[in-house]
Amino acid sequence: MDPILAGDLADLPELLDETRHAAAQVLAGLNDRPVARPSDGNGADSTVPAVGVGLRGALREFQQRWEPKLSGSAGPRFLGFVTGGTTPASIAGDWLTSVFDQNAFTTMDSGAAELERETVGWLGQLFGLTEHTGAFVSGATMSNFVGLATAREWLGERMGISVAQSGVGALGQVHILSGAPHASIYKGLAMLGIGRDQLRLVPTQSGREAIDIRRLTDALDALDGHPSIVVANAGTVNTVDFDDLRAIAELKQRYPFWLHVDGAFGAFAALAPEHARLVDGLAAADSVCVDLHKWLNVPYDAAVQFTRRRDLQVQVFQNTAAYLGIPTGAPDFVHLVPESSRRLRALAAWFTLTAYGRAGHREIVQRNVAMARRLGERLTASGLVQLLAPVRLNVVCFTLADRPTAERVQALTHAVAESGETFLTPTVYDGKPGLRAAFSNWRTTDTDLDRIYDAITAACIGLDQES
Ligand SMILES: *Cc1c(COP(=O)(O)O)cnc(C)c1O
C-alpha cells in the first residue's frame, strides 16, 4: 500500500474527527458566509499532484484554496433558483451513505435497496401517492426524464409496439401538451429523441402560469383520438402557479393521454393542510416528479420519481439481456432508472424523515410560505418594488416600481448579490424583467427576513442614487 494511504488508514479516526471539526466550523459560520460568490473562473488550471499530501494535507489545501470560493447557498438567505439546505439529520445520512458505500442497484447482496423502498413509500405517503411506485434519481430533471420515457413507452403500447425495442422512429409524430413547463421538460424530450419542438404550448389563463383548461380541451379534441402526453405543472418556478390537476385528470375520461406532473417543489404543498388544495388531484397522475434536494432539505443530489406503470418503466430501463426476460415482481432499481450502479441516496432522506417526521417537514414548508408572504407584503409596502404575481406559495416574484427596465433590474440583481446578504435570481415574467426570491431553506428565521428585506430595499435605493 502507498505509505501515505497506509498512514491515513492508521490515523482514520483522528482524521475523521478533524474533518468533522472543520465541517462543524463551516456550519457554524454559515450565517456570516457571503451568500453568493460568483466564480472568477481562475484557479482550475493546475497540475495533478505527482505525490499526495495525505488527507490532513488535502483538507488544509482545500481550506486555503477552495473553501473561500464556496458560497453560503446552504444558509438561510440564499433565495436564488429553488435551493434548500441540508437538515442536520440529512447531513449525517449523507456522510453515512459514503461510509457504507452501498450499491443500491440490487437486493442480491445488501438491504440497501430495501431501505430505499421504505423511504420511497414514506415519500409516497407524504404526497398522497400510495398507489404509485417509485425510485430515487439524481434530481428533478432525471425524474421528469423517467416520467417522459415511461410516457413514450405508453404511446408505443397504444400502437402495439415497444419504443424501447423499436426506437422512437416507430412512433411517428409525438404530441406533447403543456402550459408553462420547466426547462428540464424540453431537455428530457431532447434526450428521448422526441425533440424539443414537439412540445406544444397550450395557452395559460390570463395573467397566470396555470393552463387554461378550455384551451387544453380544445387541443386534445383537435388530436382526433390520437394518444398524447400532457405535462401538468404543480409549482412553476416564476410564480409558483399550479395547473388544476383534478380538472386535467378528469379529461382522461374523454381523451387518451399520459398525465405527467412536474411537482418538483410544489408537491410539498401537500404537507400543509392549508396549502394542500394546490395539489388536489396529484394522485391521478400517471407519473410524478418530486425533487428532494430542494424543499426536503437533503444534500444534492436527490429526487424521486413516481409511476403507476412500473411495467412500462421496466421495459425502458431494464438492464438484463433480452433472453432473460423482463424482470417481474418487485424489480431491482437497476431496471427502473437510467443509472445502473448508484449510491444509496435514499439514506439522507430516510434520516431526515426519521428525525423530524411529517410534522417537522410540514413546519419548514409552513414557515417558508409565511416568510415569502411577509416579504411580499413588506416589499410592496416599501413602494420600491411591485409584485409581478401574488405570492401563492414560497416565491416572491417582483420588479422595480420605478422604470423596471432590463438594465435596471440587472443592476439590482448584481447589487443584491454583491451585498453578500442574500441572493436572488433574475427572470422575465409576462414580458417583464424581474427577480425571484424563493424560500425553501429550513434555517431561515425572522431575523433573516429582516436582513433580506434590508438588503433588497438598500439595493433599490442605491440604484436610484446612481441613475
Ligand atoms: C428545479 C426544478 C426542476 C429541475 O430540477 P433539478 O433537480 O435541478 O434537475 C424541474 N422542474 C421544476 C418545476 C423545478 O423547480
Side-chain angles (χ1 to χ4, degrees), residues 252-282:
K252 289 183 79 169
Q253 287 166 9
R254 287 158 57 196
Y255 306 100
F257 63 88
W258 179 277
L259 176 56
H260 175 76
V261 178
D262 180 357
F265 66 96
F268 281 81
L271 269 61
E274 68 274 33
H275 307 307
R277 61 174 174 80
L278 293 169
V279 286
D280 191 29
L282 183 66

Side-chain angles (χ1 to χ4, degrees), residues 82 138-142 144 182 184 235 237 262 264-265 289 291 293-294:
V82 179
S138 58
T141 299
M142 287 316 289
N144 279 328
H182 187 266
S184 60
V237 284
D262 180 357
F265 66 96
C289 153
D291 227 336
H293 51 218
K294 290 175 179 168

Side-chain angles (χ1 to χ4, degrees), residues 21-255:
H21 180 71
Q25 275 189 324
V26 168
L27 291 174
L30 205 48
N31 235 335
D32 303 313
R33 178 175 283 267
V35 172
R37 279 182 154 139
S39 174
D40 55 15
N42 298 325
D45 188 19
S46 58
T47 313
V48 62
V51 180
V53 292
L55 170 48
R56 191 171 284 125
L59 181 60
R60 209 168 295 136
E61 183 139 342
F62 167 75
Q63 288 170 325
Q64 281 164 8
R65 288 190 48 222
W66 288 105
E67 198 187 296
K69 297 190 181 201
L70 302 186
S71 74
S73 63
R77 295 185 309 284
F78 189 97
L79 308 182
F81 318 106
V82 179
T83 297
T86 49
T87 62
S90 78
I91 294 174
D94 194 62
W95 283 2
L96 291 172
T97 305
S98 295
V99 167
F100 280 97
D101 196 26
Q102 305 287 289
N103 189 347
F105 79 131
T106 177
T107 45
M108 272 170 70
D109 62 333
S110 162
E114 255 172 77
L115 184 149
E116 177 165 341
R117 282 198 193 119
E118 173 169 276
T119 313
V120 170
W122 289 354
L123 291 163
Q125 292 165 33
L126 286 185
F127 301 114
L129 302 172
T130 47
E131 288 172 9
H132 293 67
T133 58
F136 272 71
V137 287
S138 58
T141 299
M142 287 316 289
S143 177
N144 279 328
F145 173 79
V146 172
L148 292 170
T150 312
R152 189 186 64 174
E153 196 67 7
W154 176 83
L155 289 176
E157 185 185 58
R158 305 281 306 192
M159 295 170 61
I161 57 163
S162 165
V163 178
Q165 293 303 127
S166 309
V168 72
L171 267 186
Q173 205 196 335
V174 178
H175 303 280
I176 302 155
L177 307 167
S178 189
H182 187 266
S184 60
I185 297 297
Y186 292 96
K187 188 173 183 167
L189 295 176
M191 290 194 285
L192 286 163
I194 293 173
R196 298 172 195 265
D197 286 351
Q198 301 312 309
L199 193 141
R200 272 240 314 283
L201 286 178
V202 176
T204 55
Q205 299 168 37
S206 113
R208 296 272 306 268
E209 286 185 301
I211 200 165
D212 183 328
I213 297 292
R214 199 178 48 79
R215 303 294 293 270
L216 175 62
T217 311
D218 291 346
L220 287 166
D221 219 43
L223 292 179
D224 218 12
H226 280 290
S228 62
I229 303 169
V230 173
V231 176
N233 303 294
T236 57
V237 284
N238 272 332
T239 67
V240 198
D241 213 339
F242 289 78
D243 288 344
D244 184 340
L245 301 180
R246 192 159 290 284
I248 296 175
E250 269 164 23
L251 290 173
K252 289 183 79 169
Q253 287 166 9
R254 287 158 57 196
Y255 306 100

Side-chain angles (χ1 to χ4, degrees), residues 393-422:
L393 203 64
N394 60 326
V395 173
V396 188
C397 186
F398 65 93
T399 194
L400 286 159
D402 181 32
R403 290 169 291 147
T405 61
E407 296 71 37
R408 276 168 56 80
V409 169
Q410 193 186 20
L412 179 63
T413 311
H414 285 197
V416 169
E418 259 164 38
S419 74
E421 280 286 283
T422 185

